[in-house]
Amino acid sequence: RDIPPQKPSGNLAAMRLALFVWTAPAVSWARLMVARDPVEIVAPNVATDSMKASMAIKDYFAASEKRNIAWTRVSEAKTRSPGSYSAHLEKLLHAQDKTIEALDKAADLQGTAVETVTAEKAAAEKKYNAKEAAMGEGRMSADFNSEASELKTAMRV
């Protein structure tokens, strides 16, 4: 037997409307999320004084390692090939000079970094001491516990 099509009842139309109203914000939110550009994290392109000092110290360690290699070659040349001993000593002297230059540069940059950090620390202490002093003004430093106990005693009487 055939069932004749029925008209949608008022309840079904109300349910459709409620479903639309309920899902519309979610669909709009999803469209907004898709439309946004992804966040791109970029590495810092300005080296701070501390970063410069750190790189200079790494350069010093690299120069020191080269000096150690030159010293090893000098030690080996003394026993294996005495004729090249003086040439290896010159290379060692050159490596030591480079190491000293790298150390001087690292020391200068480290001093600059310390001065910068010390100045930033002093500025931060000044800023937060001022904020702490501002918090102490007015009723912020009042003893509210004792006031509450006095008020409680006064209300009982």
Side-chain angles (χ1 to χ4, degrees):
R1 102 187 192 206
D2 290 330
I3 301 175
Q6 297 179 355
K7 289 184 177 181
S9 66
N11 289 339
L12 184 59
M15 286 176 53
R16 286 182 181 167
L17 179 63
L19 182 63
F20 174 76
V21 169
W22 185 71
T23 59
V27 171
S28 298
W29 179 79
R31 285 183 184 161
L32 285 174
M33 293 306 292
V34 171
R36 287 187 177 171
D37 292 332
V39 174
E40 182 179 344
I41 298 174
V42 180
N45 57 2
V46 177
T48 64
D49 290 337
S50 296
M51 293 167 71
K52 291 175 187 175
S54 179
M55 290 303 298
I57 291 170
K58 288 179 184 178
D59 291 344
Y60 162 71
F61 285 139
S64 182
E65 183 62 31
K66 289 179 183 177
R67 185 212 54 225
N68 291 343
I69 291 170
W71 171 250
T72 302
R73 289 185 180 156
V74 167
S75 300
E76 290 172 356
K78 186 174 183 180
T79 57
R80 292 186 184 170
S81 60
S84 65
Y85 183 67
S86 63
H88 283 291
L89 282 175
E90 288 178 20
K91 290 178 184 177
L92 175 64
L93 182 61
H94 180 71
Q96 284 178 335
D97 290 341
K98 292 288 185 183
T99 303
I100 291 171
E101 288 173 11
L103 183 60
D104 288 342
K105 182 179 177 184
D108 290 342
L109 289 173
Q110 186 64 32
T112 303
V114 168
E115 289 172 4
T116 302
V117 169
T118 303
E120 290 173 354
K121 178 184 176 246
E125 285 177 347
K126 181 179 178 182
K127 176 181 177 180
Y128 290 109
N129 286 340
K131 286 186 176 192
E132 187 176 352
M135 287 177 60
E137 294 175 358
R139 302 236 342 125
M140 291 297 290
S141 62
D143 184 12
F144 293 108
N145 288 331
S146 64
E147 288 182 22
S149 64
E150 288 173 12
L151 182 61
K152 183 178 178 182
T153 305
M155 291 181 77
R156 285 187 184 168
V157 174

